[in-house]
Amino acid sequence: MSFSSLGLSAPLLRGIFERNYLEATPIQAAAIPAILRGGDVWASAQTGSGKTAAFALPLLQRLAGAHRERGRFVRALVLVPTRELAAQIGDAFRDYGRYLPEPALKTLVVYGGVSINPQMMALGGGADILVATPGRLLDLIAHNAVSLAAVATLVLDEADRLFALGFADELARILALLPAQRQTLFFSATFPPAVWSFAESLLRDPTRIEMPAAAADTPDIVQRAIEVDAPQRTQLLRNLIEFHAWSRVLVFVATKYATEHVAEKLRRAGIEAVALHGELSQGARTTALADFKASRVRVLVATDVAARGLDIAQLPVVVNYDLPRSPVDYPHRIGRTGRAGESGTAVSFISAETDAHFRLIEKRNRLDVTREQIAGFEPCETAPSLPATTGGVKGKRKSKKDRVREAAGGVATQPASGPVAPAEPVDYFPLTPRIPTQRRTGR
Ligand code: AMP
């Protein structure tokens, strides 16, 4: 559908045409008119669907037509789970709105991990649009730097991720400070029961928008599953990067340690690589991502901090060096490539230890990915048989973090009812297999 038929103003149309957005994506076609009318929206929106513009464009239009009260007030509040996503959404608001008439709308982005003082200063006089992570927003409220009393629109982006990261308490505290009369826009990729009931409690007579389930089988992403013994993965990764001359690769690993370790090994082999994980300083996180986006480094080795929402243009390859713990995260990870109509490749390394878990990922995402072996890297390990004494079932043990998330009401284990998206049962894979593998004889 063309953008011009959606009721957007000429300055906004100019901004998006310059960005080469020729047609509205399905979520944009459905959400923009509903948001312009002022109603609530409940959208099951997948990564890469164009949802940022779906809420940013109509919000900009509504805000441009009305003036901001003096004081520490904010008119539109966008809550997101990660700092990188916050920065990305702030940039999108500024970019889409650049031809709006003066006075320009004030968009601010606030998140933790950096000094609070510049954010407090910037909030002097309030803001039209505030994009925030929940913890830092509460800090700013505690410092009296911002008031939510005049928020006319609340956007919750990646709401399921907000819950999974244990932000439920912070959200409740923020909601208590918002005016009851407001527009609420709720975007979530999945709707486990906790997220479902949260959405129901927040939204009034919402326009429901259901996009197809996460596109794990998108035709634009070639999915490969390569069998390899775990200790050979870094060497195989090097070989693949060099053999295919991949210009840029996002590699997902399971732990902070692994990001540093794999990046270091690649650097020693002459391949520019950086690590990205949640415990780096915010400066280091921003630099790592900016260097990767600008192609100053070839490989970004990341934990799932990079799995959701991040928009890295023209990223040709994603590698699951470690498989995602939950099958729900698989489409999010591979969705970092093949964005906005481009094609991409997603490679998963499968060892004897993780074969059963990959089969579960395939089953949950209705996939059937052909197993490959690469000459020189044929696996020689076999899957362990679990001794009865372990008492556990492979693939079902939950980590401490998962148990904390569940206690926080974050992760669903019961199926949901309702029309938007079936809740995914979450399946777990132990990060550190406890049973040593056995070598086949004869090799
Ligand atoms: P998002 O899901 O908001 O992260 O957007 C995914 C990617 O699609 C981003 O690179 C956007 O710039 C791009 N995009 C969003 N809407 C459109 C559109 N209508 N036409 C082309 N590209 C778009």
Side-chain angles (χ1 to χ4, degrees), residues 326-343:
S326 165
V328 182
D329 286 334
Y330 179 82
H332 289 291
R333 281 188 178 189
I334 72 167
R336 297 308 97 210
T337 182
R339 290 174 68 80
E342 294 159 9
S343 57

PDB file of all heavy atoms in Angstrom, residues 326-343:
ATOM      1  N   SER A 326      16.438 -20.777  23.925  1.00  0.00           N
ATOM      2  CA  SER A 326      15.017 -20.984  23.681  1.00  0.00           C
ATOM      3  C   SER A 326      14.745 -20.980  22.180  1.00  0.00           C
ATOM      4  O   SER A 326      15.225 -20.095  21.474  1.00  0.00           O
ATOM      5  CB  SER A 326      14.208 -19.875  24.349  1.00  0.00           C
ATOM      6  OG  SER A 326      12.898 -19.889  23.821  1.00  0.00           O
ATOM      7  N   PRO A 327      13.949 -21.921  21.674  1.00  0.00           N
ATOM      8  CA  PRO A 327      13.626 -21.941  20.243  1.00  0.00           C
ATOM      9  C   PRO A 327      12.981 -20.647  19.773  1.00  0.00           C
ATOM     10  O   PRO A 327      13.093 -20.282  18.609  1.00  0.00           O
ATOM     11  CB  PRO A 327      12.642 -23.109  20.123  1.00  0.00           C
ATOM     12  CG  PRO A 327      12.943 -23.992  21.272  1.00  0.00           C
ATOM     13  CD  PRO A 327      13.374 -23.083  22.393  1.00  0.00           C
ATOM     14  N   VAL A 328      12.315 -19.937  20.674  1.00  0.00           N
ATOM     15  CA  VAL A 328      11.662 -18.681  20.291  1.00  0.00           C
ATOM     16  C   VAL A 328      12.700 -17.669  19.803  1.00  0.00           C
ATOM     17  O   VAL A 328      12.397 -16.806  18.977  1.00  0.00           O
ATOM     18  CB  VAL A 328      10.907 -18.091  21.510  1.00  0.00           C
ATOM     19  CG1 VAL A 328      10.184 -16.807  21.129  1.00  0.00           C
ATOM     20  CG2 VAL A 328       9.929 -19.091  22.064  1.00  0.00           C
ATOM     21  N   ASP A 329      13.916 -17.762  20.337  1.00  0.00           N
ATOM     22  CA  ASP A 329      14.942 -16.778  19.966  1.00  0.00           C
ATOM     23  C   ASP A 329      15.568 -17.060  18.595  1.00  0.00           C
ATOM     24  O   ASP A 329      16.239 -16.193  18.046  1.00  0.00           O
ATOM     25  CB  ASP A 329      16.052 -16.727  21.023  1.00  0.00           C
ATOM     26  CG  ASP A 329      15.567 -16.013  22.277  1.00  0.00           C
ATOM     27  OD1 ASP A 329      14.658 -15.173  22.159  1.00  0.00           O
ATOM     28  OD2 ASP A 329      16.079 -16.312  23.370  1.00  0.00           O
ATOM     29  N   TYR A 330      15.372 -18.265  18.075  1.00  0.00           N
ATOM     30  CA  TYR A 330      16.019 -18.600  16.798  1.00  0.00           C
ATOM     31  C   TYR A 330      15.599 -17.654  15.665  1.00  0.00           C
ATOM     32  O   TYR A 330      16.453 -17.052  15.005  1.00  0.00           O
ATOM     33  CB  TYR A 330      15.746 -20.074  16.454  1.00  0.00           C
ATOM     34  CG  TYR A 330      16.341 -20.514  15.143  1.00  0.00           C
ATOM     35  CD1 TYR A 330      17.684 -20.892  15.053  1.00  0.00           C
ATOM     36  CD2 TYR A 330      15.570 -20.544  13.975  1.00  0.00           C
ATOM     37  CE1 TYR A 330      18.238 -21.283  13.840  1.00  0.00           C
ATOM     38  CE2 TYR A 330      16.117 -20.935  12.764  1.00  0.00           C
ATOM     39  CZ  TYR A 330      17.442 -21.307  12.704  1.00  0.00           C
ATOM     40  OH  TYR A 330      17.990 -21.687  11.499  1.00  0.00           O
ATOM     41  N   PRO A 331      14.288 -17.465  15.429  1.00  0.00           N
ATOM     42  CA  PRO A 331      13.927 -16.535  14.343  1.00  0.00           C
ATOM     43  C   PRO A 331      14.386 -15.107  14.599  1.00  0.00           C
ATOM     44  O   PRO A 331      14.668 -14.372  13.650  1.00  0.00           O
ATOM     45  CB  PRO A 331      12.399 -16.610  14.282  1.00  0.00           C
ATOM     46  CG  PRO A 331      11.964 -17.334  15.487  1.00  0.00           C
ATOM     47  CD  PRO A 331      13.108 -18.127  16.010  1.00  0.00           C
ATOM     48  N   HIS A 332      14.457 -14.719  15.859  1.00  0.00           N
ATOM     49  CA  HIS A 332      14.938 -13.359  16.134  1.00  0.00           C
ATOM     50  C   HIS A 332      16.403 -13.222  15.762  1.00  0.00           C
ATOM     51  O   HIS A 332      16.822 -12.227  15.177  1.00  0.00           O
ATOM     52  CB  HIS A 332      14.735 -13.018  17.612  1.00  0.00           C
ATOM     53  CG  HIS A 332      13.301 -12.830  17.945  1.00  0.00           C
ATOM     54  ND1 HIS A 332      12.572 -11.763  17.491  1.00  0.00           N
ATOM     55  CD2 HIS A 332      12.440 -13.595  18.641  1.00  0.00           C
ATOM     56  CE1 HIS A 332      11.332 -11.873  17.911  1.00  0.00           C
ATOM     57  NE2 HIS A 332      11.224 -12.988  18.611  1.00  0.00           N
ATOM     58  N   ARG A 333      17.180 -14.231  16.117  1.00  0.00           N
ATOM     59  CA  ARG A 333      18.601 -14.166  15.768  1.00  0.00           C
ATOM     60  C   ARG A 333      18.792 -14.143  14.257  1.00  0.00           C
ATOM     61  O   ARG A 333      19.478 -13.280  13.726  1.00  0.00           O
ATOM     62  CB  ARG A 333      19.332 -15.389  16.332  1.00  0.00           C
ATOM     63  CG  ARG A 333      19.650 -15.316  17.793  1.00  0.00           C
ATOM     64  CD  ARG A 333      20.513 -16.499  18.099  1.00  0.00           C
ATOM     65  NE  ARG A 333      20.953 -16.558  19.473  1.00  0.00           N
ATOM     66  CZ  ARG A 333      21.856 -17.430  19.898  1.00  0.00           C
ATOM     67  NH1 ARG A 333      22.386 -18.300  19.056  1.00  0.00           N
ATOM     68  NH2 ARG A 333      22.224 -17.443  21.153  1.00  0.00           N
ATOM     69  N   ILE A 334      18.175 -15.103  13.567  1.00  0.00           N
ATOM     70  CA  ILE A 334      18.455 -15.171  12.131  1.00  0.00           C
ATOM     71  C   ILE A 334      17.822 -13.987  11.412  1.00  0.00           C
ATOM     72  O   ILE A 334      18.277 -13.596  10.341  1.00  0.00           O
ATOM     73  CB  ILE A 334      18.035 -16.520  11.490  1.00  0.00           C
ATOM     74  CG1 ILE A 334      16.517 -16.651  11.392  1.00  0.00           C
ATOM     75  CG2 ILE A 334      18.655 -17.700  12.226  1.00  0.00           C
ATOM     76  CD1 ILE A 334      16.095 -17.803  10.486  1.00  0.00           C
ATOM     77  N   GLY A 335      16.814 -13.372  12.042  1.00  0.00           N
ATOM     78  CA  GLY A 335      16.169 -12.200  11.442  1.00  0.00           C
ATOM     79  C   GLY A 335      17.050 -10.963  11.419  1.00  0.00           C
ATOM     80  O   GLY A 335      16.656  -9.937  10.869  1.00  0.00           O
ATOM     81  N   ARG A 336      18.251 -11.036  12.009  1.00  0.00           N
ATOM     82  CA  ARG A 336      19.196  -9.903  11.876  1.00  0.00           C
ATOM     83  C   ARG A 336      19.699  -9.807  10.439  1.00  0.00           C
ATOM     84  O   ARG A 336      20.203  -8.772  10.024  1.00  0.00           O
ATOM     85  CB  ARG A 336      20.415 -10.060  12.802  1.00  0.00           C
ATOM     86  CG  ARG A 336      20.186 -10.070  14.295  1.00  0.00           C
ATOM     87  CD  ARG A 336      19.386  -8.909  14.765  1.00  0.00           C
ATOM     88  NE  ARG A 336      17.994  -9.282  14.902  1.00  0.00           N
ATOM     89  CZ  ARG A 336      16.988  -8.453  14.741  1.00  0.00           C
ATOM     90  NH1 ARG A 336      17.187  -7.212  14.378  1.00  0.00           N
ATOM     91  NH2 ARG A 336      15.756  -8.875  14.912  1.00  0.00           N
ATOM     92  N   THR A 337      19.651 -10.919   9.693  1.00  0.00           N
ATOM     93  CA  THR A 337      20.029 -10.873   8.285  1.00  0.00           C
ATOM     94  C   THR A 337      18.746 -10.905   7.458  1.00  0.00           C
ATOM     95  O   THR A 337      17.659 -11.084   7.991  1.00  0.00           O
ATOM     96  CB  THR A 337      20.980 -12.029   7.907  1.00  0.00           C
ATOM     97  OG1 THR A 337      21.346 -11.883   6.540  1.00  0.00           O
ATOM     98  CG2 THR A 337      20.343 -13.380   8.111  1.00  0.00           C
ATOM     99  N   GLY A 338      18.871 -10.685   6.158  1.00  0.00           N
ATOM    100  CA  GLY A 338      17.695 -10.739   5.289  1.00  0.00           C
ATOM    101  C   GLY A 338      16.653  -9.705   5.645  1.00  0.00           C
ATOM    102  O   GLY A 338      15.460  -9.959   5.545  1.00  0.00           O
ATOM    103  N   ARG A 339      17.078  -8.509   6.102  1.00  0.00           N
ATOM    104  CA  ARG A 339      16.109  -7.493   6.508  1.00  0.00           C
ATOM    105  C   ARG A 339      15.682  -6.638   5.330  1.00  0.00           C
ATOM    106  O   ARG A 339      16.427  -6.455   4.392  1.00  0.00           O
ATOM    107  CB  ARG A 339      16.701  -6.625   7.611  1.00  0.00           C
ATOM    108  CG  ARG A 339      16.808  -7.446   8.865  1.00  0.00           C
ATOM    109  CD  ARG A 339      17.492  -6.784   9.978  1.00  0.00           C
ATOM    110  NE  ARG A 339      16.813  -5.652  10.573  1.00  0.00           N
ATOM    111  CZ  ARG A 339      15.822  -5.714  11.448  1.00  0.00           C
ATOM    112  NH1 ARG A 339      15.297  -6.867  11.778  1.00  0.00           N
ATOM    113  NH2 ARG A 339      15.347  -4.620  11.997  1.00  0.00           N
ATOM    114  N   ALA A 340      14.465  -6.128   5.451  1.00  0.00           N
ATOM    115  CA  ALA A 340      13.921  -5.173   4.473  1.00  0.00           C
ATOM    116  C   ALA A 340      14.140  -5.641   3.041  1.00  0.00           C
ATOM    117  O   ALA A 340      14.646  -4.922   2.197  1.00  0.00           O
ATOM    118  CB  ALA A 340      14.541  -3.788   4.690  1.00  0.00           C
ATOM    119  N   GLY A 341      13.763  -6.900   2.797  1.00  0.00           N
ATOM    120  CA  GLY A 341      13.793  -7.405   1.430  1.00  0.00           C
ATOM    121  C   GLY A 341      15.145  -7.886   0.933  1.00  0.00           C
ATOM    122  O   GLY A 341      15.256  -8.368  -0.182  1.00  0.00           O
ATOM    123  N   GLU A 342      16.202  -7.773   1.772  1.00  0.00           N
ATOM    124  CA  GLU A 342      17.504  -8.290   1.323  1.00  0.00           C
ATOM    125  C   GLU A 342      17.531  -9.806   1.556  1.00  0.00           C
ATOM    126  O   GLU A 342      16.697 -10.346   2.257  1.00  0.00           O
ATOM    127  CB  GLU A 342      18.629  -7.644   2.150  1.00  0.00           C
ATOM    128  CG  GLU A 342      18.764  -6.154   1.930  1.00  0.00           C
ATOM    129  CD  GLU A 342      19.504  -5.471   3.085  1.00  0.00           C
ATOM    130  OE1 GLU A 342      20.045  -6.172   3.956  1.00  0.00           O
ATOM    131  OE2 GLU A 342      19.500  -4.234   3.097  1.00  0.00           O
ATOM    132  N   SER A 343      18.541 -10.461   0.966  1.00  0.00           N
ATOM    133  CA  SER A 343      18.669 -11.886   1.260  1.00  0.00           C
ATOM    134  C   SER A 343      19.810 -12.090   2.243  1.00  0.00           C
ATOM    135  O   SER A 343      20.640 -11.199   2.438  1.00  0.00           O
ATOM    136  CB  SER A 343      18.919 -12.660  -0.029  1.00  0.00           C
ATOM    137  OG  SER A 343      20.057 -12.139  -0.651  1.00  0.00           O
TER     138      SER A 343
END
